[in-house]
Amino acid sequence: MGQLKDPISIKYKEEMNSQNISGIWEEPILGVGDKLLGVLSIFSPQPQKETESNIKIIKSAAQVLSLSLEHSRTQEFLNKTVSLLNATVESTADGILVIDNEGKIVSLNRKFLKIWNIPQEIISSGQDKKALEHAIRQLRDPEKFLAKVEELYRTPEAESFDFLEFKDGRCIERYSQPQKLDGVTIGRVWSFRDVTDRFRAEIAAKAADQARIHFLANVSHEIRTPLGAIMGFSEMLSTPFLKADETQSIVGKIKANGEHLLKIIEEILDSSKLEFGRFDMDRSNVDLCSLLVDTQNVLLNKIQQKGIEFSLEVEGELPRMICTDSRRLKQILLNLLDNSIKFTESGKVSLRVSRVEKNFFKFTVKDTGIGISKEQAEKLFIPFSQVDSSYSRRHKGTGLGLALARQLAQMLGGDVVLTESAIGIGSTFTATIAAEIPEGEPQVFFNKIGNFVEGNEKIDKKTQEQSSGTSLQGVSLLLVDDTYDNQLIIKHFLKNLGVQIDTAADGREGVDKASRRNYDIILMDIQMPQMDGYQAVSLLRNKGYAGTVISLTAHAGEQERVKAMEAGFNDFLTKPVSRQTLINTISQHLKRT
């Protein structure tokens, strides 16, 4: 027995004295590596002798306490380690399953139960076979799954990685490797990860790549075909000693192929805009009768060349004026009619127009063409697909027309559907749109083209002026375009109409000339050197120029049109422009002034 050394004993020295404790024995409790775990203190009312027996007893007691404390701390450490391991396994994105060498479940996490939709009660029951049966019933190929499991248990050291397809469409990534302890295989660890979204994204990406390749192949073919014809016929024109009728025929073919090439480019641009959601509708009051007549006139040449009949019919009475996007409605009708004319070798194509509800209009296109089978109809409205490639190779087209017509009709509140079709008999397509009757407009109706009714009385005046005899005598026009070929074309279009034409090769020169003279009309390109069309028209407006400035540009998008109008243009024409469209546009603006 000796002096108090342990701090705790020293702290309670006064209390020990009050209890008449005069003997104390202190022995350190040492752990692994002689780490001090504590102190064993034995108190007695009388001093005790340090005999060999007492020392042995005290040291043995300290050793027992050391073992107890080490075990307690080890157990606590193990409990924390197990808790941390379980928390880690539960927080992973994978479903984890551990199986022993006998195929019994050792452990699993909740993610595994969720992936395989296994109720907790099945696991709690310990019926591992029942859990397996419940799981594999969800697979598309359970036999393949079981075969892989059996193979792995025949080769305990093997690792495995594959995919599982579930009946509900999920795709699960499966990985398995042996579980070892001190180099001995004691079981197998399986991990499962839901990769459905990634799998679908990969499939979609592959499909997009294939579609892109198909798109480029189609576009390349369709553009090269008319382009090759244009270049070939242009070269033929340079051949000496061509007869007048041969020259006229070649020029007609160049024009037809040029129009076809333009149609392809416009379809591709429209399809791209629709795909990326950049397609705007421009609704305004539209003369429905004039629109139908214009649509018919555009197609007359094709109809006559094929030698088929065409009829434009009105069912009931239709309002003269409706509010819609006239350009897009006309595009829908032209695409449907062009498709029917293309695939009709003989017989008839007709367009019937009716009003099915107050603000709902139906356009029915019927032909006596090759017809469409049920299987072919399934891909009819898929862009760049063709219902009969062996037949369609003889015809021009990208396969975008019907798909575009449907998308445009849907944007106008309706749809385009194949109503009926039979192989060798013909097809019927129906387009519908929603269009209101403008307020404030006279209630003029028509029940056939050219026969107008206001109330119950006929109106004898002509529905629209014919522009073929238009005279622009004395009109002053400034043409601002940096391309000499374009200047020659516009001058030729306006030849013999009495127009006085000045030219400028860029925007800066155009502004200078317009500053010195007030022209009746300015035709201005957008993309030019020195100063582009946007800058030029803005500068003119800032200088107070109030005359009519019309954009005539190869920029064909709706965004470009809006930007041009905001910059100060009065109208927007896209190249290539037809002679009649150019004359009509100029005449309309002259009438306004």
Side-chain angles (χ1 to χ4, degrees), residues 79-94 96 108-111:
N79 290 339
K80 286 184 178 179
T81 301
V82 171
S83 297
L84 180 61
L85 180 60
N86 287 336
T88 302
V89 171
E90 287 296 342
S91 64
T92 63
D94 297 343
I96 305 296
L108 50 80
N109 64 356
R110 285 191 295 270
K111 187 69 175 180

Side-chain angles (χ1 to χ4, degrees), residues 230-376:
I230 291 170
M231 294 176 68
F233 285 125
S234 298
E235 189 170 346
M236 286 175 63
L237 283 178
S238 64
T239 304
F241 312 118
L242 277 177
K243 296 179 180 179
D245 58 341
E246 290 176 327
T247 301
Q248 189 66 29
S249 174
I250 290 172
V251 169
K253 292 181 185 299
I254 291 174
K255 184 174 183 294
N257 278 280
E259 290 173 349
H260 176 59
L261 183 59
L262 176 61
K263 184 174 185 292
I264 290 172
I265 293 171
E266 288 179 339
E267 284 183 348
I268 293 170
L269 288 174
D270 286 344
S271 180
S272 176
K273 290 175 191 174
L274 284 166
E275 182 179 356
F276 290 100
R278 298 175 181 173
F279 206 96
D280 297 322
M281 289 292 176
D282 183 18
R283 289 178 172 81
S284 60
N285 294 347
V286 179
D287 187 322
L288 180 57
C289 182
S290 296
L291 184 144
L292 294 173
V293 172
D294 288 344
T295 302
Q296 175 183 253
N297 290 339
V298 170
L299 297 168
L300 280 179
N301 188 47
K302 288 185 178 180
I303 294 167
Q304 291 170 356
Q305 286 180 351
K306 296 205 75 172
I308 59 177
E309 296 181 34
F310 178 78
S311 65
L312 175 56
E313 306 163 9
V314 175
E315 187 176 300
E317 287 189 349
L318 296 178
R320 173 80 176 272
M321 303 297 295
I322 62 173
C323 184
T324 187
D325 187 320
S326 61
R327 181 185 172 195
R328 299 310 173 189
L329 174 55
K330 188 174 180 180
Q331 189 175 358
I332 293 168
L333 298 180
L334 285 173
N335 283 3
L336 292 178
L337 288 166
D338 187 62
N339 183 74
S340 288
I341 294 168
K342 182 192 302 182
F343 293 103
T344 301
E345 293 298 321
S346 61
K348 181 179 179 181
V349 173
S350 65
L351 170 61
R352 177 180 289 270
V353 188
S354 61
R355 184 181 183 186
V356 290
E357 293 179 19
K358 181 180 179 181
N359 296 323
F360 214 62
F361 296 83
K362 181 170 72 173
F363 304 84
T364 303
V365 176
K366 188 171 184 178
D367 64 62
T368 57
I370 62 174
I372 304 165
S373 69
K374 185 177 180 181
E375 293 75 18
Q376 293 168 337

Side-chain angles (χ1 to χ4, degrees), residues 219 230 373 422 497 511 588:
V219 168
I230 291 170
S373 69
L497 292 178
V511 171
Q588 289 170 6

Side-chain angles (χ1 to χ4, degrees), residues 473-500:
Q473 187 67 40
V475 173
S476 59
L477 184 145
L478 174 62
L479 175 59
V480 187
D481 198 309
D482 63 317
T483 305
Y484 183 66
D485 288 346
N486 290 336
Q487 292 183 9
L488 285 179
I489 291 170
I490 299 302
K491 286 180 178 179
H492 181 77
F493 281 173
L494 301 179
K495 188 178 180 180
N496 302 325
L497 292 178
V499 181
Q500 301 172 7

Side-chain angles (χ1 to χ4, degrees), residues 168-187:
D168 61 7
R170 288 181 298 151
C171 183
I172 305 298
E173 194 175 76
R174 175 175 66 172
Y175 182 72
S176 176
Q177 64 178 1
Q179 183 188 36
K180 293 187 176 183
L181 183 63
D182 296 329
V184 179
T185 300
I186 61 173

Side-chain angles (χ1 to χ4, degrees), residues 514-570:
S515 299
R516 296 194 298 269
R517 179 180 178 183
N518 191 26
Y519 292 92
D520 294 318
I521 296 288
I522 296 179
L523 293 178
M524 185 179 292
D525 189 19
I526 293 291
Q527 192 168 336
M528 295 182 293
Q530 303 298 326
M531 179 183 291
D532 66 26
Y534 298 127
Q535 297 169 324
V537 74
S538 296
L539 184 57
L540 281 174
R541 297 310 186 197
N542 289 336
K543 287 185 172 185
Y545 189 88
T548 299
V549 186
I550 301 172
S551 168
L552 180 57
T553 175
H555 290 291
E558 180 64 20
Q559 290 179 326
E560 286 80 5
R561 187 193 70 82
V562 172
K563 184 178 178 180
M565 302 304 282
E566 290 176 349
F569 285 100
N570 298 95

